[in-house]
Amino acid sequence: MKLQNHSEETSFLSDEELVDRILKGETHLYADLMRKFNQRLYRISISIIKDDMAVEDVMQTAYLNAYLQLRNFQHKSGFGTWITRILINESLLYLKKRAKQQELVLLQKETNHSDTPLTNLMNKELKSLLEKSVSGLPEKYRLVFVMREIEEMSTLETMNVLNISESNVKVRLKRAKEMLQRELSTYYKPQQLFDFNLIRCDRIVNFVMLEIQKNAPVH
């Protein structure tokens, strides 16, 4: 069964209203929430793990975990902030697992390091150069840059997700831009980076919704 795109009927509902209706049994509305945040979560996860092939698995795990914990969502922060925190935790957990696997491989032999997870997505030299430069930033600067400049999250939401002060957000963003400027001068178009196309969006939504249907309902 093919899931529909974001419904016009529910487009006027807030995230919190969607959560309430999902908890009351309208589980199909979870697809609307996923479609709303797929682009953000992809961009943030790829900035952490730098592995395009693994990002979808991490996102699916984050969405499933969020669904199973939906009753624990207390509306103390926005749903977007809550799901982003879960996504970051899953991405960091993936990094830890991958590091352990790499340590085992290194004990046996030297490996050829091929850090090119994004090459199959790049269509223009400029985007390739920009994404490579952003990926090369230290993690604490890279995360803030992706959230503020690429995903256009507010300073407040970035503070809440990363649990840092406003001044830290501003300092890290300024530092990230300075580091990028050294390689790219002052020209870049951050909103064009790390596109998450509709086919991939459908694939993640369909997978998570099928898993939800196979398991016990959240209500």
Side-chain angles (χ1 to χ4, degrees):
M1 180 178 67
K2 185 177 181 180
L3 297 172
Q4 296 181 344
N5 290 338
H6 187 75
S7 170
E8 293 183 5
E9 181 182 353
T10 59
S11 61
F12 64 91
L13 294 176
S14 68
D15 298 340
E16 289 70 25
E17 288 171 326
L18 283 171
V19 169
D20 288 339
R21 288 178 60 170
I22 292 166
L23 289 172
K24 291 176 181 176
E26 297 181 72
T27 56
H28 64 281
L29 294 181
Y30 197 62
D32 289 347
L33 280 177
M34 285 189 287
R35 292 187 186 281
K36 180 174 181 180
F37 292 101
N38 267 342
Q39 179 76 77
R40 173 194 290 188
L41 298 195
Y42 172 76
R43 285 171 166 169
I44 291 174
S45 186
I46 193 66
S47 75
I48 295 173
I49 67 178
K50 302 182 186 179
D51 186 341
D52 186 68
M53 298 298 294
V55 166
E56 289 187 24
D57 289 338
V58 171
M59 289 173 64
Q60 289 167 355
T61 300
Y63 278 131
L64 285 171
N65 287 344
Y67 177 80
L68 295 174
Q69 301 173 40
L70 208 54
R71 285 207 170 275
N72 296 328
F73 174 55
Q74 301 295 325
H75 302 282
K76 293 180 181 178
S77 60
F79 179 83
T81 300
W82 187 68
I83 188 66
T84 302
R85 285 174 178 161
I86 293 175
L87 182 278
I88 289 176
N89 288 338
E90 288 299 328
S91 298
L92 294 176
L93 181 60
Y94 170 84
L95 282 184
K96 290 180 180 179
K97 291 180 179 178
R98 186 174 67 182
K100 289 182 180 179
Q101 292 172 349
Q102 289 175 342
E103 286 177 6
L104 292 176
V105 172
L106 288 173
L107 288 175
Q108 299 173 359
K109 62 180 180 179
E110 290 186 2
T111 57
N112 293 324
H113 209 43
S114 179
D115 236 357
T116 58
L118 297 172
T119 52
N120 61 326
L121 299 179
M122 299 304 99
N123 296 317
K124 297 180 181 179
E125 291 184 4
L126 177 59
K127 284 183 65 176
S128 179
L129 176 61
L130 286 171
E131 294 187 358
K132 181 178 179 181
S133 298
V134 172
S135 295
L137 292 172
E139 182 178 290
K140 66 178 182 180
Y141 301 122
R142 184 172 66 247
L143 273 176
V144 171
F145 182 83
V146 170
M147 290 181 185
R148 292 287 290 115
E149 293 293 305
I150 299 178
E151 191 53 31
E152 297 183 333
M153 293 169 62
S154 68
T155 298
L156 179 59
E157 190 168 12
T158 304
M159 291 166 53
N160 290 336
V161 168
L162 298 178
N163 195 26
I164 59 178
S165 67
E166 179 179 0
S167 61
N168 270 336
V169 171
K170 293 179 178 178
V171 168
R172 291 183 189 185
L173 179 59
K174 181 175 183 294
R175 179 63 176 150
K177 288 181 177 180
E178 289 172 348
M179 297 169 90
L180 288 173
Q181 285 173 355
R182 283 200 290 267
E183 292 187 36
L184 307 171
S185 72
T186 59
Y187 180 75
Y188 60 88
K189 295 180 179 179
Q191 285 75 23
Q192 295 181 0
L193 300 184
F194 303 132
D195 290 335
F196 193 72
N197 62 45
L198 182 59
I199 294 176
R200 304 186 79 192
C201 181
D202 286 342
R203 185 160 60 236
I204 284 187
V205 170
N206 290 340
F207 175 85
V208 174
M209 293 307 295
L210 287 173
E211 288 298 312
I212 287 174
Q213 291 168 14
K214 287 190 292 185
N215 292 283
V218 70
H219 65 288

